[in-house]
Amino acid sequence: DHFIYLNLTQKATKSDGLTKSAVGVSSGPCIVSTAFNVRVACGDNTPFRVGRLDLVNPTVTQFSPFPCDLNRIEVRFSSTVPVYRLCSAVFTLSGLTGSLSPSAAVGPNSFPVVDIGTGLVATAGSWNQTLANSLVLPIANQSILMGYNDSTRPVRGGPLSGAPFSMDFSFTFWIVNPQLARNAASVQFLVSTVDPLGFSQSSTQVTAASPSGVPDASWPVNNKLSLNPMVTFVGSDAYSSKVTAFNATSAWAPQVGDAMPLQIRGANLLSPSVIGQSTPFPCDSNAISVSLGTDIPLLIRSGFCLPSFTIRGLTGTQTPSGVVTLSANSGATFVAGSNWVQSTGELSVVVANTSLTGALYGTTGGQLYSLQVGLINQASPQSAPSLSILIPTSSTWSPIARSGGNPNVFESQIGDAQPLKIFAARFITKSIGQTVPYPGCTNTIAVTIRINVDMIPGNCPFSLRIFGLKDTFVSSGLSNRVTPGAQSLPMTGSISLSGAERLANDGTNYWLAPGTCDARSRQSAQMLRDANGNVGMGYWENGYVDTFGFAGPIDPATYGGGGFSASATCVTSQGSGYTTGGSGFTIDRRLSAYLNQRIAAGNDLIFQFQLQNPINKQASPTVSISMQVGFDRFNTTQFVNDVTLAPRSTSGPAYSISGPNNVISGCVLNPASYAIALPMDKDSSTVLCCTTCSFARNAVAASASRSDLAVDGQMTTQGDAEPLKIHTPFFCMKRIGQSSPFPCDSNTLTVTFMANTIFTGPNGTVVTVSGLSGANANTGPIQLIDGPSGAGHHLFFSGGALANFTPGTGLWDNSSKKLTLYLTRSTGCSQSYVFSFRVSNSPIAQSEPIVQIEASYVGQSIKMSYSGVSIAASAMDHDNVTVLAALGSAPYVQSPVAGDASALRIWTLAFRASVSQSTYVPCSINTLSVTFASNAPLLQTSYCWPQVSIRGLVGAIAPSGNMSVNPGPVFPFSLAQWDNVAKSLALTILNGSATVPNTNYLFTFNVTNPAKPQGCQAVSIVADVTGYRAMGRMSSVNQSGDNTCPMYVMAATPSLSAWQSSPFPCDSNNISFSLVLNVDLLPACRPILTITGLAPLAGPPATSGQMGYGYVSGSGYSGAFNLTWSGPSSGSMVLVATQVMPAGRYRFDFMATNQALGQSAPKL
């Protein structure tokens, strides 16, 4: 057999070869195999038989399932027949849809394709992103030739003889994964050929198999830099450079299905990805804290991928839409500026190019990142909204956990860190009190507010209104109306929120504490402002219309005020300055203020303001508060709720309000229509200090045991610290005293008064002191004297409202004994005022009279009220404590005692006196010596010209009329007159002179003793005033019990003894007499001594008549008296002294004849 071998090139088109009819062909034996182990079916050696080109075992494997990653795609397939270069075979791979790699020509620096076996890089072909995401690759290209450069050889090489064989192909390329998660792509393979003659054949398009498991064990290192020349500018895979060393349980580790082409994992939130907040307080700057991460890396690929998270549902803020800044951004992982949409509460957080994933930036899978964004809570309360998140690899919103933690703010608990859970504001404290319960006085109203949330004026206007601070006497009812235009203070306008502060300290720190008592609270007036921004100020509305029940205008001429406007159904302006309510409407007063500085929840906001109290007593009215949070930037608001609202509530009672100007349907909100108006807690327990000018002499706390009918206005059931509880006007001090209790003396009366109200002047209050009986002064103006403090209190008064407007005077009425005082200027509240004025005391002794004081038109009532307000007359308290100084020298006639300073207590004039005489001899000239002192001065004034009378000089004889006296060294008397009938001596004070109390005055004068004997006389001394009865009591004169006792006249009691010379009858008998005189016998007394019992006598002297005698007592006394004999029948003799007969013994004799008859001795 001959064999002819022809080297012919087959065409590309499939062919069954030559048929038997054309060429006899031996079927030949079956060739089992070639030298290359390529199985060839029997009959394939038929000439020009071209086998079918089919692809078998096509597989596509990926090496990164992560979005936006640079994914290595490995392609493997085999052809059923050899593919020869001459046929220009082209491999087409399609179906990698979603890849972000742009169309590009295959090339080392554009779209690398690398043969796995040799690492040679294809230089021809193209990647078309828009056309089925296909890769077209000429597999017979020389650059990927893996055999000889021989067109007759297969592209994978082959025997030199050119024997046929089948081929395996494998190569890799890199594409950028889609952004979103997806299932694996369905990839189709196709190989087409064409020969030089134009004959072609294409394989059937087959779908590549996708591995269902994980990539092979070398997956983390398969995507190598050494295999990818573009890695320097297109990035590298996440596994080898971003994700930390993996293990089988890591969320980002290889998973079943990860090797399937373009099967892209969806990112899942790591646990615990959570959102929380820093504060549940309305209007607070809220740090929204976000902790999030995904189980896969999120990569940034310039021009393709910019991963971001979008959180939705953060509603309830007043942060306007725009870009917000992130803070607490761990590692600056996210772009600092994030887009924010307020209406939906959407926050878009973009991953920043700060953390490398190989050559790319992004986040690490399996790692939590934290960030914060500052939002401003709205004013309205709300429960925490539901939140959802859009993860970068997903188009579906998923819920994200809200923090169940505790933000650790006031009253917060677990669960309050849920973002945008906003508390409803509620009062913890809303107390109000006062420092002064006195009518018409300046009162400091103290307010303490404490709420459960921070008050934050920087983000929301916090405003408050306190109303109900009314004068109930004039709030309604024309019968009590005040003078139109006369307003209580303060007037409408800005008002200071500082009252009566004092400096308090704890030994180290100092602060202003409110009030004047011992409270240690901290004044916080600077925390507030008025609507114009004036710090420490509020806005006071004095006399606005608060309720309105008729459709007519309010007449300012009747009620004062202005600016009020209303229709039949709507008040559009409440006006201000109204002084009195009327029929159908009432007036009120209120304070408005805005918060100026932040105040922490649970802390006290303490402020004060001062107003003028009503002048009439009243119970503390109901005072209410309305405190508004907002309106914020989006017109949300809330009103602070009552203390009864449960802590941590996110809603309060329903109310209807809209707009930033508190307007409902165009009508001004009256207090009764406030959304939430709450009664304030009145301070019923504090016992005020500095309140001794009260009926109880001190302040009182509330007590149900008292009666609200108490006329004093204090001892009601309410406490004195309750706002605008007002006492009845009265004098809490009304004392009067004097400088002298002496009759006729110039007396300085000192008045001390204190009222629990103010007195106004000029042309205001009039004070009257009446009942000053016993005082004398000229009717008309009287000079006032300043008090001892030198404070010029006397200048507060004058003697007249207009014409007599001279400060420092009063008006005295001597007939009615009263002093009228017109105020020249206003007094302070509950301040004492002391002044004096001089009067002359009455000469008549008296107990202190009932002196009364009253005041009319107290406070501002002369301006405020048609009827005015008065303090009724009441008795003043006398000074029964002061002990006046004694004048003169001890021993005192009368010592001053407590009570003598009581006004117009006038002493009874009393004396201490002694009188002695020079002789007790009857009919003798007797010199009386007088010493006296008085308990009070004897004064000569226009009302008094006293005389001192020595009385009781019974028996003294002197002619009535002027009497000469012999005065002592000091003797202020000008005239002495003797009354011989009254037996008294009167001394008249020298003009312009006076005696000094308790000072002895001496003088003597002469009288004649009576002849008749008498005992010591009860002499007295007393003072008289012309036109008055005796000034004082009769004062007994001290007298001794001896012969110097005044007007003691000794009785003449002579003793007589007689004897005779003879007892014989008819004998001449010398009868001798011995006469003893116990007292001098003065001729002025015409003394006569009669001796009886001498009859009968027998002899001479027989006839009556003068008879001689002999005096034997001593020389010089002969003839001292004449002796007259009565005759023997009567037997008596009479002796008449002819000169002074000093006391002593006298003897005389006469001769007689005894009778004849015997007789016993007669009784002489």
Side-chain angles (χ1 to χ4, degrees), residues 534-835:
N534 299 310
V535 176
M537 306 292 287
Y539 187 76
W540 176 255
E541 292 174 82
N542 194 43
Y544 67 93
V545 177
D546 68 341
T547 60
F548 183 71
F550 69 101
I554 298 175
D555 180 15
T558 304
Y559 300 99
F564 177 81
S565 60
S567 65
T569 59
C570 179
V571 174
T572 55
S573 174
Q574 292 177 276
S576 66
Y578 289 93
T579 57
T580 310
S583 175
F585 76 98
T586 61
I587 62 170
D588 197 355
R589 300 184 293 180
R590 68 186 169 197
L591 172 76
S592 302
Y594 292 86
L595 198 65
N596 180 56
Q597 297 181 32
R598 181 172 184 144
I599 299 177
N603 285 3
D604 287 338
L605 168 62
I606 299 175
F607 63 92
Q608 304 174 98
F609 57 97
Q610 292 186 320
L611 52 79
Q612 185 183 61
N613 280 343
I615 193 61
N616 292 282
K617 73 164 185 172
Q618 68 177 37
S620 174
T622 297
V623 181
S624 299
I625 185 171
S626 179
M627 189 168 184
Q628 187 176 7
V629 183
F631 290 87
D632 61 24
R633 295 178 180 88
F634 294 93
N635 282 344
T636 73
T637 189
Q638 67 165 307
F639 283 80
V640 181
N641 295 271
D642 206 352
V643 295
T644 55
L645 187 71
R648 306 171 52 245
S649 294
T650 55
S651 63
Y655 56 86
S656 175
I657 187 168
S658 63
N661 296 315
N662 291 8
V663 174
I664 294 179
S665 302
C667 298
V668 174
L669 274 177
N670 294 330
S673 303
Y674 286 148
I676 297 183
L678 303 172
M680 298 192 73
D681 303 315
K682 294 187 284 190
D683 184 353
S684 60
S685 60
T686 296
V687 177
L688 297 174
C689 64
C690 308
T691 52
T692 56
C693 195
S694 303
F695 290 88
R697 296 302 176 188
N698 57 268
V700 296
S703 173
S705 65
R706 300 193 295 262
S707 170
D708 286 333
L709 299 177
V711 296
D712 55 36
Q714 179 185 24
M715 303 308 287
T716 63
T717 57
Q718 294 181 325
D720 285 338
E722 298 187 42
L724 295 183
K725 173 193 174 180
I726 306 300
H727 297 177
T728 300
F730 87 118
F731 285 104
C732 59
M733 181 187 297
K734 42 191 171 71
R735 188 170 62 244
I736 187 169
Q738 66 180 4
S739 64
S740 173
F742 302 150
C744 298
D745 198 5
S746 176
N747 191 1
T748 299
L749 298 181
T750 298
V751 175
T752 302
F753 73 79
M754 179 191 298
N756 68 342
T757 184
I758 60 171
F759 295 162
T760 56
N763 301 323
T765 305
V766 179
V767 177
T768 303
V769 181
S770 60
L772 295 166
S773 59
N776 290 293
N778 294 328
T779 295
I782 188 171
Q783 189 69 39
L784 302 183
I785 305 168
D786 196 8
S789 62
H793 289 174
H794 64 305
L795 299 177
F796 279 77
F797 310 99
S798 74
L802 295 173
N804 296 321
F805 182 32
T806 303
T809 62
L811 182 63
W812 174 257
D813 186 338
N814 202 48
S815 61
S816 59
K817 304 296 183 184
K818 71 178 180 181
L819 175 69
T820 303
L821 304 167
Y822 295 85
L823 270 291
T824 64
R825 48 181 147 161
S826 297
T827 64
C829 180
S830 67
Q831 292 184 8
S832 63
Y833 290 85
V834 184
F835 64 90

Side-chain angles (χ1 to χ4, degrees), residues 277 279-280 404-407 411-418 421 423 648:
Q277 68 177 1
T279 173
N406 185 343
E411 289 189 341
S412 66
Q413 297 180 12
I414 291 175
D416 292 338
Q418 296 182 63
K421 176 180 182 179
F423 284 173
R648 306 171 52 245

Side-chain angles (χ1 to χ4, degrees), residues 161-476:
S161 61
F165 64 99
S166 64
M167 295 182 62
D168 293 329
F169 289 88
S170 62
F171 59 89
T172 187
F173 60 91
W174 290 263
I175 59 175
V176 178
N177 284 344
Q179 297 185 68
L180 301 179
R182 53 166 290 171
N183 294 325
S186 177
V187 181
Q188 287 79 40
F189 286 8
L190 177 67
V191 176
S192 61
T193 60
V194 61
D195 60 23
L197 297 179
F199 296 101
S200 63
Q201 179 184 180
S202 296
S203 68
T204 301
Q205 184 170 289
V206 297
T207 299
S210 298
S212 60
V214 300
D216 62 43
S218 63
W219 182 23
V221 295
N222 276 338
N223 239 356
K224 286 298 185 180
L225 173 66
S226 60
L227 296 178
N228 187 351
M230 290 181 66
V231 75
T232 57
F233 60 89
V234 296
S236 63
D237 69 289
Y239 272 96
S240 61
S241 56
K242 182 63 177 176
V243 182
T244 55
F246 71 91
N247 56 65
T249 60
S250 299
W252 46 264
Q255 298 177 4
V256 174
D258 278 351
M260 299 173 70
L262 291 188
Q263 176 153 310
I264 306 302
R265 283 198 207 171
N268 297 302
L269 285 178
L270 290 178
S271 179
S273 290
V274 66
I275 303 180
Q277 68 177 1
S278 63
T279 173
F281 296 154
C283 301
D284 204 356
S285 296
N286 196 352
I288 302 297
S289 300
V290 182
S291 177
L292 56 79
T294 57
D295 56 353
I296 63 172
L298 302 176
L299 304 175
I300 299 173
R301 186 168 295 277
S302 177
F304 299 106
C305 298
L306 186 63
S308 65
F309 297 87
T310 300
I311 300 168
R312 174 186 289 173
L314 293 170
T315 54
T317 78
Q318 52 172 311
T319 301
S321 299
V323 177
V324 293
T325 301
L326 303 183
S327 61
N329 187 356
S330 55
T333 304
F334 304 101
V335 175
S338 295
N339 287 328
W340 163 253
V341 179
Q342 186 271 341
S343 59
T344 58
E346 289 189 13
L347 176 70
S348 296
V349 179
V350 179
V351 177
N353 56 349
T354 54
S355 182
L356 281 171
T357 303
L360 298 179
Y361 294 98
T363 62
T364 300
Q367 179 176 332
L368 286 172
Y369 295 90
S370 61
L371 62 93
Q372 282 186 357
V373 61
L375 301 177
I376 300 175
N377 292 347
Q378 68 181 17
S380 300
Q382 67 175 21
S383 300
S386 297
L387 304 178
S388 57
I389 187 169
L390 185 63
I391 303 172
T393 64
S394 174
S395 60
T396 303
W397 292 91
S398 304
I400 184 171
R402 297 173 299 185
S403 173
N406 185 343
N408 296 315
V409 295
F410 186 75
E411 289 189 341
S412 66
Q413 297 180 12
I414 291 175
D416 292 338
Q418 296 182 63
L420 295 171
K421 176 180 182 179
I422 300 175
F423 284 173
R426 95 179 187 286
F427 284 109
I428 300 173
T429 300
K430 48 179 173 58
S431 65
I432 186 169
Q434 68 180 6
T435 59
V436 178
Y438 300 149
C441 296
T442 298
N443 188 6
T444 298
I445 302 295
V447 178
T448 300
I449 294 173
R450 185 188 309 159
I451 67 174
N452 65 322
V453 298
D454 283 13
M455 292 181 271
I456 311 159
N459 295 331
C460 289
F462 271 65
S463 61
L464 61 88
R465 271 184 170 175
I466 297 173
F467 52 91
L469 297 163
K470 60 180 63 177
D471 182 342
T472 57
F473 187 73
V474 299
S475 177
S476 62

